[in-house]
Amino acid sequence: MENTDMIMFNVDDQKRLVNYRVITENNISADLLCGKYLCQQAQLALAGAYVPNETIYYKPFNVKPSEGKTANFLESLVNRNLTDKLATIPLKQLTFVYENHPGELEQLSDMESWMDLMRHEPKLQQTVTAYEQYHTEREKDIAARTVTAIQTDKGVLLFNDSGRGLRCVADYLQDMANRYFSPDFKNLESLQMYYFSTSNQNLVQESRQCASMFSADSPHQFIPSKARFLDSRIMEGISPAIKCTMIPDRENYRSFVKTFGLEESHKNLNIALLDDICKNGLIDYRYKEHPGFSHKNSFDGILNKLQNSFVHEPTHQFLKNTLHDVARDTAKRILQTQYEVRGYESPKQEKKKKTNNKIKL
């Protein structure tokens, strides 16, 4: 293929855009970058219980789509049935090549050559057809599929066991970790994760729509307004595989992140330590566990005074308590003015609420 800029995007069997990438040629050829995208899609698909019925489209472009409007442009192509004339790669054919011919799929042109062979070699075509049928039958065998359910105070979200579905689980949990201290979760006390199989077609179909709750570009962001929460009663009689407390504090946050193998954020570690100081005072060993603490300068002076040997004498308990109170007040001020944290409403918000409650005479 000629070197050119490209858009590659995946569409599922319900004509939903589930993934895309704008590929701009720089020092690396677009052919190679497109090949990398294809390999990533194959790896993702093969990490699940079956390869779903998706199609990858690709389209060269001369003018880069407007920032933030690429998804709308691609969805418009799909909804208006304007994809018929675009070059396509069935996902199952892609995974067949990736799985059975390692090292032979590095560029988009490699996949195009394989697809040409599939069209003209009857024996290879027969093998590929059997491979596609195998994954189609696995997807249809709904009683053998595993559904992942995540329950919060808002209800239950369902995810299927395709590679994309399992990645959606990880992306949703990472979003929960990123927003762990957010006021968005003010009523959230626990999170339960369930695994179950069912012959209920409605529930299975619901789980297959999990990708629609996330942005189609990478990284795939959870979009709360598109969340498909179901009534929590559907989990009655099923025991959770994992239950995590979501009450916002340092230990609960770190436990949640560790349980699911998620990334800790520097911002949340700052919030967690500030919350710990606010609740427990300035405890030396906890303070030192977070050497990258962004608000270190606000507390070092107080900590130095607390570490003076005479402060630990019973006769100086009043001074010790005062220093801890100063640390608590400082932590609370920072939480209220520099972050948005559930349980720490800013003075401006409190004043606004009081104002709103006044009776006009």
PDB file of all heavy atoms in Angstrom, residues 35-69:
ATOM      1  N   GLY A  35      -0.436  -1.808  10.818  1.00  0.00           N
ATOM      2  CA  GLY A  35      -0.174  -3.191  11.200  1.00  0.00           C
ATOM      3  C   GLY A  35      -0.129  -3.364  12.702  1.00  0.00           C
ATOM      4  O   GLY A  35      -0.623  -4.356  13.245  1.00  0.00           O
ATOM      5  N   LYS A  36       0.431  -2.369  13.389  1.00  0.00           N
ATOM      6  CA  LYS A  36       0.466  -2.416  14.850  1.00  0.00           C
ATOM      7  C   LYS A  36      -0.943  -2.372  15.430  1.00  0.00           C
ATOM      8  O   LYS A  36      -1.259  -3.099  16.381  1.00  0.00           O
ATOM      9  CB  LYS A  36       1.291  -1.239  15.378  1.00  0.00           C
ATOM     10  CG  LYS A  36       1.496  -1.251  16.882  1.00  0.00           C
ATOM     11  CD  LYS A  36       2.390  -0.096  17.320  1.00  0.00           C
ATOM     12  CE  LYS A  36       2.592  -0.119  18.833  1.00  0.00           C
ATOM     13  NZ  LYS A  36       3.457   1.021  19.268  1.00  0.00           N
ATOM     14  N   TYR A  37      -1.794  -1.523  14.855  1.00  0.00           N
ATOM     15  CA  TYR A  37      -3.190  -1.454  15.296  1.00  0.00           C
ATOM     16  C   TYR A  37      -3.877  -2.806  15.116  1.00  0.00           C
ATOM     17  O   TYR A  37      -4.592  -3.287  16.008  1.00  0.00           O
ATOM     18  CB  TYR A  37      -3.937  -0.372  14.504  1.00  0.00           C
ATOM     19  CG  TYR A  37      -5.411  -0.273  14.827  1.00  0.00           C
ATOM     20  CD1 TYR A  37      -5.851   0.513  15.890  1.00  0.00           C
ATOM     21  CD2 TYR A  37      -6.368  -0.949  14.070  1.00  0.00           C
ATOM     22  CE1 TYR A  37      -7.202   0.620  16.188  1.00  0.00           C
ATOM     23  CE2 TYR A  37      -7.725  -0.847  14.360  1.00  0.00           C
ATOM     24  CZ  TYR A  37      -8.140  -0.063  15.421  1.00  0.00           C
ATOM     25  OH  TYR A  37      -9.487   0.028  15.710  1.00  0.00           O
ATOM     26  N   LEU A  38      -3.666  -3.438  13.965  1.00  0.00           N
ATOM     27  CA  LEU A  38      -4.284  -4.734  13.698  1.00  0.00           C
ATOM     28  C   LEU A  38      -3.814  -5.786  14.705  1.00  0.00           C
ATOM     29  O   LEU A  38      -4.616  -6.583  15.202  1.00  0.00           O
ATOM     30  CB  LEU A  38      -3.962  -5.191  12.269  1.00  0.00           C
ATOM     31  CG  LEU A  38      -4.577  -4.356  11.136  1.00  0.00           C
ATOM     32  CD1 LEU A  38      -4.114  -4.884   9.779  1.00  0.00           C
ATOM     33  CD2 LEU A  38      -6.102  -4.353  11.218  1.00  0.00           C
ATOM     34  N   CYS A  39      -2.522  -5.792  14.997  1.00  0.00           N
ATOM     35  CA  CYS A  39      -2.000  -6.768  15.963  1.00  0.00           C
ATOM     36  C   CYS A  39      -2.612  -6.548  17.340  1.00  0.00           C
ATOM     37  O   CYS A  39      -2.951  -7.507  18.042  1.00  0.00           O
ATOM     38  CB  CYS A  39      -0.475  -6.673  16.027  1.00  0.00           C
ATOM     39  SG  CYS A  39       0.374  -7.311  14.571  1.00  0.00           S
ATOM     40  N   GLN A  40      -2.778  -5.297  17.736  1.00  0.00           N
ATOM     41  CA  GLN A  40      -3.384  -5.001  19.036  1.00  0.00           C
ATOM     42  C   GLN A  40      -4.832  -5.468  19.090  1.00  0.00           C
ATOM     43  O   GLN A  40      -5.290  -5.998  20.109  1.00  0.00           O
ATOM     44  CB  GLN A  40      -3.289  -3.500  19.318  1.00  0.00           C
ATOM     45  CG  GLN A  40      -1.877  -3.026  19.598  1.00  0.00           C
ATOM     46  CD  GLN A  40      -1.750  -1.516  19.641  1.00  0.00           C
ATOM     47  OE1 GLN A  40      -2.631  -0.786  19.169  1.00  0.00           O
ATOM     48  NE2 GLN A  40      -0.655  -1.017  20.201  1.00  0.00           N
ATOM     49  N   GLN A  41      -5.563  -5.293  17.991  1.00  0.00           N
ATOM     50  CA  GLN A  41      -6.949  -5.743  17.950  1.00  0.00           C
ATOM     51  C   GLN A  41      -7.036  -7.266  17.992  1.00  0.00           C
ATOM     52  O   GLN A  41      -7.934  -7.836  18.623  1.00  0.00           O
ATOM     53  CB  GLN A  41      -7.645  -5.200  16.699  1.00  0.00           C
ATOM     54  CG  GLN A  41      -7.815  -3.685  16.681  1.00  0.00           C
ATOM     55  CD  GLN A  41      -8.519  -3.178  17.927  1.00  0.00           C
ATOM     56  OE1 GLN A  41      -9.655  -3.558  18.206  1.00  0.00           O
ATOM     57  NE2 GLN A  41      -7.855  -2.314  18.689  1.00  0.00           N
ATOM     58  N   ALA A  42      -6.091  -7.935  17.335  1.00  0.00           N
ATOM     59  CA  ALA A  42      -6.060  -9.401  17.369  1.00  0.00           C
ATOM     60  C   ALA A  42      -5.740  -9.900  18.774  1.00  0.00           C
ATOM     61  O   ALA A  42      -6.383 -10.835  19.277  1.00  0.00           O
ATOM     62  CB  ALA A  42      -5.029  -9.922  16.367  1.00  0.00           C
ATOM     63  N   GLN A  43      -4.769  -9.282  19.425  1.00  0.00           N
ATOM     64  CA  GLN A  43      -4.401  -9.667  20.784  1.00  0.00           C
ATOM     65  C   GLN A  43      -5.586  -9.500  21.737  1.00  0.00           C
ATOM     66  O   GLN A  43      -5.848 -10.363  22.584  1.00  0.00           O
ATOM     67  CB  GLN A  43      -3.213  -8.833  21.258  1.00  0.00           C
ATOM     68  CG  GLN A  43      -1.909  -9.149  20.556  1.00  0.00           C
ATOM     69  CD  GLN A  43      -0.856  -8.085  20.787  1.00  0.00           C
ATOM     70  OE1 GLN A  43      -1.081  -7.088  21.483  1.00  0.00           O
ATOM     71  NE2 GLN A  43       0.313  -8.284  20.200  1.00  0.00           N
ATOM     72  N   LEU A  44      -6.280  -8.378  21.600  1.00  0.00           N
ATOM     73  CA  LEU A  44      -7.437  -8.113  22.451  1.00  0.00           C
ATOM     74  C   LEU A  44      -8.513  -9.168  22.239  1.00  0.00           C
ATOM     75  O   LEU A  44      -9.064  -9.723  23.202  1.00  0.00           O
ATOM     76  CB  LEU A  44      -7.999  -6.722  22.150  1.00  0.00           C
ATOM     77  CG  LEU A  44      -9.273  -6.314  22.895  1.00  0.00           C
ATOM     78  CD1 LEU A  44      -9.013  -6.219  24.391  1.00  0.00           C
ATOM     79  CD2 LEU A  44      -9.818  -4.993  22.362  1.00  0.00           C
ATOM     80  N   ALA A  45      -8.832  -9.467  20.987  1.00  0.00           N
ATOM     81  CA  ALA A  45      -9.888 -10.440  20.677  1.00  0.00           C
ATOM     82  C   ALA A  45      -9.543 -11.828  21.196  1.00  0.00           C
ATOM     83  O   ALA A  45     -10.400 -12.548  21.717  1.00  0.00           O
ATOM     84  CB  ALA A  45     -10.127 -10.483  19.172  1.00  0.00           C
ATOM     85  N   LEU A  46      -8.272 -12.215  21.071  1.00  0.00           N
ATOM     86  CA  LEU A  46      -7.860 -13.565  21.478  1.00  0.00           C
ATOM     87  C   LEU A  46      -7.694 -13.702  22.988  1.00  0.00           C
ATOM     88  O   LEU A  46      -7.472 -14.808  23.488  1.00  0.00           O
ATOM     89  CB  LEU A  46      -6.555 -13.943  20.767  1.00  0.00           C
ATOM     90  CG  LEU A  46      -6.690 -14.160  19.253  1.00  0.00           C
ATOM     91  CD1 LEU A  46      -5.321 -14.287  18.604  1.00  0.00           C
ATOM     92  CD2 LEU A  46      -7.531 -15.403  18.961  1.00  0.00           C
ATOM     93  N   ALA A  47      -7.847 -12.597  23.715  1.00  0.00           N
ATOM     94  CA  ALA A  47      -7.782 -12.666  25.176  1.00  0.00           C
ATOM     95  C   ALA A  47      -9.130 -12.999  25.788  1.00  0.00           C
ATOM     96  O   ALA A  47      -9.248 -13.109  27.014  1.00  0.00           O
ATOM     97  CB  ALA A  47      -7.283 -11.333  25.731  1.00  0.00           C
ATOM     98  N   GLY A  48     -10.159 -13.168  24.949  1.00  0.00           N
ATOM     99  CA  GLY A  48     -11.497 -13.489  25.437  1.00  0.00           C
ATOM    100  C   GLY A  48     -11.902 -14.920  25.142  1.00  0.00           C
ATOM    101  O   GLY A  48     -11.116 -15.715  24.614  1.00  0.00           O
ATOM    102  N   ALA A  49     -13.161 -15.246  25.455  1.00  0.00           N
ATOM    103  CA  ALA A  49     -13.660 -16.605  25.284  1.00  0.00           C
ATOM    104  C   ALA A  49     -13.992 -16.933  23.834  1.00  0.00           C
ATOM    105  O   ALA A  49     -14.108 -18.096  23.461  1.00  0.00           O
ATOM    106  CB  ALA A  49     -14.900 -16.817  26.152  1.00  0.00           C
ATOM    107  N   TYR A  50     -14.162 -15.908  23.014  1.00  0.00           N
ATOM    108  CA  TYR A  50     -14.468 -16.096  21.598  1.00  0.00           C
ATOM    109  C   TYR A  50     -14.107 -14.821  20.856  1.00  0.00           C
ATOM    110  O   TYR A  50     -13.960 -13.748  21.461  1.00  0.00           O
ATOM    111  CB  TYR A  50     -15.958 -16.411  21.387  1.00  0.00           C
ATOM    112  CG  TYR A  50     -16.881 -15.313  21.869  1.00  0.00           C
ATOM    113  CD1 TYR A  50     -17.278 -14.274  21.025  1.00  0.00           C
ATOM    114  CD2 TYR A  50     -17.349 -15.314  23.187  1.00  0.00           C
ATOM    115  CE1 TYR A  50     -18.102 -13.262  21.484  1.00  0.00           C
ATOM    116  CE2 TYR A  50     -18.173 -14.294  23.650  1.00  0.00           C
ATOM    117  CZ  TYR A  50     -18.544 -13.272  22.803  1.00  0.00           C
ATOM    118  OH  TYR A  50     -19.346 -12.261  23.251  1.00  0.00           O
ATOM    119  N   VAL A  51     -13.962 -14.932  19.547  1.00  0.00           N
ATOM    120  CA  VAL A  51     -13.713 -13.754  18.717  1.00  0.00           C
ATOM    121  C   VAL A  51     -15.064 -13.266  18.205  1.00  0.00           C
ATOM    122  O   VAL A  51     -15.764 -14.003  17.502  1.00  0.00           O
ATOM    123  CB  VAL A  51     -12.773 -14.072  17.534  1.00  0.00           C
ATOM    124  CG1 VAL A  51     -12.581 -12.833  16.659  1.00  0.00           C
ATOM    125  CG2 VAL A  51     -11.431 -14.585  18.050  1.00  0.00           C
ATOM    126  N   PRO A  52     -15.476 -12.060  18.537  1.00  0.00           N
ATOM    127  CA  PRO A  52     -16.808 -11.577  18.147  1.00  0.00           C
ATOM    128  C   PRO A  52     -16.879 -11.225  16.666  1.00  0.00           C
ATOM    129  O   PRO A  52     -15.866 -11.145  15.971  1.00  0.00           O
ATOM    130  CB  PRO A  52     -16.994 -10.334  19.016  1.00  0.00           C
ATOM    131  CG  PRO A  52     -15.607  -9.843  19.249  1.00  0.00           C
ATOM    132  CD  PRO A  52     -14.746 -11.062  19.332  1.00  0.00           C
ATOM    133  N   ASN A  53     -18.087 -10.982  16.222  1.00  0.00           N
ATOM    134  CA  ASN A  53     -18.330 -10.654  14.822  1.00  0.00           C
ATOM    135  C   ASN A  53     -18.145  -9.145  14.619  1.00  0.00           C
ATOM    136  O   ASN A  53     -19.101  -8.385  14.569  1.00  0.00           O
ATOM    137  CB  ASN A  53     -19.744 -11.092  14.420  1.00  0.00           C
ATOM    138  CG  ASN A  53     -19.999 -10.909  12.933  1.00  0.00           C
ATOM    139  OD1 ASN A  53     -19.061 -10.882  12.134  1.00  0.00           O
ATOM    140  ND2 ASN A  53     -21.258 -10.765  12.564  1.00  0.00           N
ATOM    141  N   GLU A  54     -16.895  -8.729  14.515  1.00  0.00           N
ATOM    142  CA  GLU A  54     -16.567  -7.325  14.285  1.00  0.00           C
ATOM    143  C   GLU A  54     -15.910  -7.167  12.916  1.00  0.00           C
ATOM    144  O   GLU A  54     -15.334  -8.106  12.380  1.00  0.00           O
ATOM    145  CB  GLU A  54     -15.594  -6.796  15.350  1.00  0.00           C
ATOM    146  CG  GLU A  54     -16.204  -6.547  16.702  1.00  0.00           C
ATOM    147  CD  GLU A  54     -15.196  -5.943  17.673  1.00  0.00           C
ATOM    148  OE1 GLU A  54     -14.156  -5.413  17.204  1.00  0.00           O
ATOM    149  OE2 GLU A  54     -15.435  -6.004  18.887  1.00  0.00           O
ATOM    150  N   THR A  55     -15.984  -5.967  12.405  1.00  0.00           N
ATOM    151  CA  THR A  55     -15.327  -5.627  11.140  1.00  0.00           C
ATOM    152  C   THR A  55     -14.445  -4.409  11.350  1.00  0.00           C
ATOM    153  O   THR A  55     -14.857  -3.450  12.010  1.00  0.00           O
ATOM    154  CB  THR A  55     -16.362  -5.319  10.045  1.00  0.00           C
ATOM    155  OG1 THR A  55     -17.225  -6.446   9.873  1.00  0.00           O
ATOM    156  CG2 THR A  55     -15.672  -5.020   8.726  1.00  0.00           C
ATOM    157  N   ILE A  56     -13.249  -4.469  10.810  1.00  0.00           N
ATOM    158  CA  ILE A  56     -12.333  -3.334  10.857  1.00  0.00           C
ATOM    159  C   ILE A  56     -12.370  -2.639   9.498  1.00  0.00           C
ATOM    160  O   ILE A  56     -12.152  -3.275   8.458  1.00  0.00           O
ATOM    161  CB  ILE A  56     -10.895  -3.774  11.181  1.00  0.00           C
ATOM    162  CG1 ILE A  56     -10.856  -4.461  12.551  1.00  0.00           C
ATOM    163  CG2 ILE A  56      -9.942  -2.573  11.160  1.00  0.00           C
ATOM    164  CD1 ILE A  56      -9.513  -5.073  12.893  1.00  0.00           C
ATOM    165  N   TYR A  57     -12.678  -1.363   9.507  1.00  0.00           N
ATOM    166  CA  TYR A  57     -12.688  -0.554   8.283  1.00  0.00           C
ATOM    167  C   TYR A  57     -11.460   0.355   8.305  1.00  0.00           C
ATOM    168  O   TYR A  57     -10.990   0.758   9.370  1.00  0.00           O
ATOM    169  CB  TYR A  57     -13.946   0.319   8.220  1.00  0.00           C
ATOM    170  CG  TYR A  57     -15.240  -0.462   8.105  1.00  0.00           C
ATOM    171  CD1 TYR A  57     -15.926  -0.874   9.241  1.00  0.00           C
ATOM    172  CD2 TYR A  57     -15.775  -0.762   6.857  1.00  0.00           C
ATOM    173  CE1 TYR A  57     -17.123  -1.585   9.137  1.00  0.00           C
ATOM    174  CE2 TYR A  57     -16.975  -1.465   6.744  1.00  0.00           C
ATOM    175  CZ  TYR A  57     -17.634  -1.871   7.886  1.00  0.00           C
ATOM    176  OH  TYR A  57     -18.806  -2.573   7.780  1.00  0.00           O
ATOM    177  N   TYR A  58     -10.978   0.690   7.123  1.00  0.00           N
ATOM    178  CA  TYR A  58      -9.909   1.676   7.087  1.00  0.00           C
ATOM    179  C   TYR A  58     -10.085   2.592   5.889  1.00  0.00           C
ATOM    180  O   TYR A  58     -10.545   2.194   4.835  1.00  0.00           O
ATOM    181  CB  TYR A  58      -8.522   1.042   7.115  1.00  0.00           C
ATOM    182  CG  TYR A  58      -8.219  -0.028   6.105  1.00  0.00           C
ATOM    183  CD1 TYR A  58      -7.426   0.241   4.983  1.00  0.00           C
ATOM    184  CD2 TYR A  58      -8.675  -1.337   6.292  1.00  0.00           C
ATOM    185  CE1 TYR A  58      -7.111  -0.760   4.066  1.00  0.00           C
ATOM    186  CE2 TYR A  58      -8.367  -2.336   5.387  1.00  0.00           C
ATOM    187  CZ  TYR A  58      -7.584  -2.046   4.284  1.00  0.00           C
ATOM    188  OH  TYR A  58      -7.279  -3.047   3.372  1.00  0.00           O
ATOM    189  N   LYS A  59      -9.706   3.855   6.169  1.00  0.00           N
ATOM    190  CA  LYS A  59      -9.978   4.916   5.192  1.00  0.00           C
ATOM    191  C   LYS A  59      -8.838   5.932   5.222  1.00  0.00           C
ATOM    192  O   LYS A  59      -8.520   6.481   6.276  1.00  0.00           O
ATOM    193  CB  LYS A  59     -11.296   5.595   5.553  1.00  0.00           C
ATOM    194  CG  LYS A  59     -11.619   6.857   4.745  1.00  0.00           C
ATOM    195  CD  LYS A  59     -12.911   7.468   5.235  1.00  0.00           C
ATOM    196  CE  LYS A  59     -13.172   8.827   4.574  1.00  0.00           C
ATOM    197  NZ  LYS A  59     -13.260   8.743   3.115  1.00  0.00           N
ATOM    198  N   PRO A  60      -8.173   6.157   4.072  1.00  0.00           N
ATOM    199  CA  PRO A  60      -7.154   7.209   4.031  1.00  0.00           C
ATOM    200  C   PRO A  60      -7.794   8.593   4.102  1.00  0.00           C
ATOM    201  O   PRO A  60      -8.969   8.757   3.754  1.00  0.00           O
ATOM    202  CB  PRO A  60      -6.468   6.986   2.675  1.00  0.00           C
ATOM    203  CG  PRO A  60      -7.466   6.254   1.857  1.00  0.00           C
ATOM    204  CD  PRO A  60      -8.320   5.463   2.794  1.00  0.00           C
ATOM    205  N   PHE A  61      -7.066   9.561   4.592  1.00  0.00           N
ATOM    206  CA  PHE A  61      -7.611  10.915   4.634  1.00  0.00           C
ATOM    207  C   PHE A  61      -6.518  11.924   4.305  1.00  0.00           C
ATOM    208  O   PHE A  61      -5.337  11.706   4.573  1.00  0.00           O
ATOM    209  CB  PHE A  61      -8.228  11.219   6.002  1.00  0.00           C
ATOM    210  CG  PHE A  61      -7.243  11.228   7.151  1.00  0.00           C
ATOM    211  CD1 PHE A  61      -6.564  12.379   7.501  1.00  0.00           C
ATOM    212  CD2 PHE A  61      -7.010  10.070   7.879  1.00  0.00           C
ATOM    213  CE1 PHE A  61      -5.672  12.383   8.555  1.00  0.00           C
ATOM    214  CE2 PHE A  61      -6.107  10.067   8.934  1.00  0.00           C
ATOM    215  CZ  PHE A  61      -5.437  11.217   9.280  1.00  0.00           C
ATOM    216  N   ASN A  62      -6.928  13.004   3.700  1.00  0.00           N
ATOM    217  CA  ASN A  62      -6.011  14.085   3.358  1.00  0.00           C
ATOM    218  C   ASN A  62      -6.061  15.207   4.387  1.00  0.00           C
ATOM    219  O   ASN A  62      -5.076  15.873   4.644  1.00  0.00           O
ATOM    220  CB  ASN A  62      -6.343  14.657   1.969  1.00  0.00           C
ATOM    221  CG  ASN A  62      -6.160  13.619   0.874  1.00  0.00           C
ATOM    222  OD1 ASN A  62      -5.197  12.862   0.899  1.00  0.00           O
ATOM    223  ND2 ASN A  62      -7.084  13.590  -0.086  1.00  0.00           N
ATOM    224  N   VAL A  63      -7.259  15.408   4.966  1.00  0.00           N
ATOM    225  CA  VAL A  63      -7.437  16.421   5.995  1.00  0.00           C
ATOM    226  C   VAL A  63      -7.786  15.713   7.298  1.00  0.00           C
ATOM    227  O   VAL A  63      -8.765  14.966   7.362  1.00  0.00           O
ATOM    228  CB  VAL A  63      -8.559  17.413   5.620  1.00  0.00           C
ATOM    229  CG1 VAL A  63      -8.726  18.456   6.723  1.00  0.00           C
ATOM    230  CG2 VAL A  63      -8.243  18.080   4.287  1.00  0.00           C
ATOM    231  N   LYS A  64      -6.992  15.931   8.316  1.00  0.00           N
ATOM    232  CA  LYS A  64      -7.231  15.285   9.603  1.00  0.00           C
ATOM    233  C   LYS A  64      -8.557  15.747  10.193  1.00  0.00           C
ATOM    234  O   LYS A  64      -8.868  16.941  10.189  1.00  0.00           O
ATOM    235  CB  LYS A  64      -6.095  15.623  10.568  1.00  0.00           C
ATOM    236  CG  LYS A  64      -6.168  14.851  11.883  1.00  0.00           C
ATOM    237  CD  LYS A  64      -4.951  15.161  12.746  1.00  0.00           C
ATOM    238  CE  LYS A  64      -5.023  14.381  14.056  1.00  0.00           C
ATOM    239  NZ  LYS A  64      -3.838  14.647  14.914  1.00  0.00           N
ATOM    240  N   PRO A  65      -9.385  14.799  10.698  1.00  0.00           N
ATOM    241  CA  PRO A  65     -10.674  15.182  11.294  1.00  0.00           C
ATOM    242  C   PRO A  65     -10.484  16.152  12.454  1.00  0.00           C
ATOM    243  O   PRO A  65      -9.461  16.134  13.131  1.00  0.00           O
ATOM    244  CB  PRO A  65     -11.231  13.832  11.792  1.00  0.00           C
ATOM    245  CG  PRO A  65     -10.534  12.801  10.975  1.00  0.00           C
ATOM    246  CD  PRO A  65      -9.167  13.339  10.693  1.00  0.00           C
ATOM    247  N   SER A  66     -11.463  17.007  12.671  1.00  0.00           N
ATOM    248  CA  SER A  66     -11.398  17.996  13.744  1.00  0.00           C
ATOM    249  C   SER A  66     -11.240  17.313  15.095  1.00  0.00           C
ATOM    250  O   SER A  66     -11.804  16.235  15.340  1.00  0.00           O
ATOM    251  CB  SER A  66     -12.663  18.857  13.758  1.00  0.00           C
ATOM    252  OG  SER A  66     -12.830  19.506  12.522  1.00  0.00           O
ATOM    253  N   GLU A  67     -10.458  17.917  15.962  1.00  0.00           N
ATOM    254  CA  GLU A  67     -10.220  17.382  17.289  1.00  0.00           C
ATOM    255  C   GLU A  67     -11.546  17.194  18.031  1.00  0.00           C
ATOM    256  O   GLU A  67     -12.353  18.109  18.124  1.00  0.00           O
ATOM    257  CB  GLU A  67      -9.321  18.345  18.080  1.00  0.00           C
ATOM    258  CG  GLU A  67      -8.805  17.786  19.394  1.00  0.00           C
ATOM    259  CD  GLU A  67      -7.762  16.698  19.196  1.00  0.00           C
ATOM    260  OE1 GLU A  67      -7.076  16.712  18.151  1.00  0.00           O
ATOM    261  OE2 GLU A  67      -7.663  15.836  20.084  1.00  0.00           O
ATOM    262  N   GLY A  68     -11.765  16.001  18.556  1.00  0.00           N
ATOM    263  CA  GLY A  68     -12.978  15.714  19.313  1.00  0.00           C
ATOM    264  C   GLY A  68     -14.186  15.358  18.480  1.00  0.00           C
ATOM    265  O   GLY A  68     -15.244  15.050  19.024  1.00  0.00           O
ATOM    266  N   LYS A  69     -14.052  15.403  17.153  1.00  0.00           N
ATOM    267  CA  LYS A  69     -15.201  15.112  16.294  1.00  0.00           C
ATOM    268  C   LYS A  69     -15.022  13.832  15.471  1.00  0.00           C
ATOM    269  O   LYS A  69     -15.887  13.489  14.663  1.00  0.00           O
ATOM    270  CB  LYS A  69     -15.465  16.291  15.354  1.00  0.00           C
ATOM    271  CG  LYS A  69     -15.892  17.563  16.084  1.00  0.00           C
ATOM    272  CD  LYS A  69     -16.236  18.677  15.120  1.00  0.00           C
ATOM    273  CE  LYS A  69     -16.701  19.927  15.859  1.00  0.00           C
ATOM    274  NZ  LYS A  69     -17.040  21.032  14.931  1.00  0.00           N
TER     275      LYS A  69
END
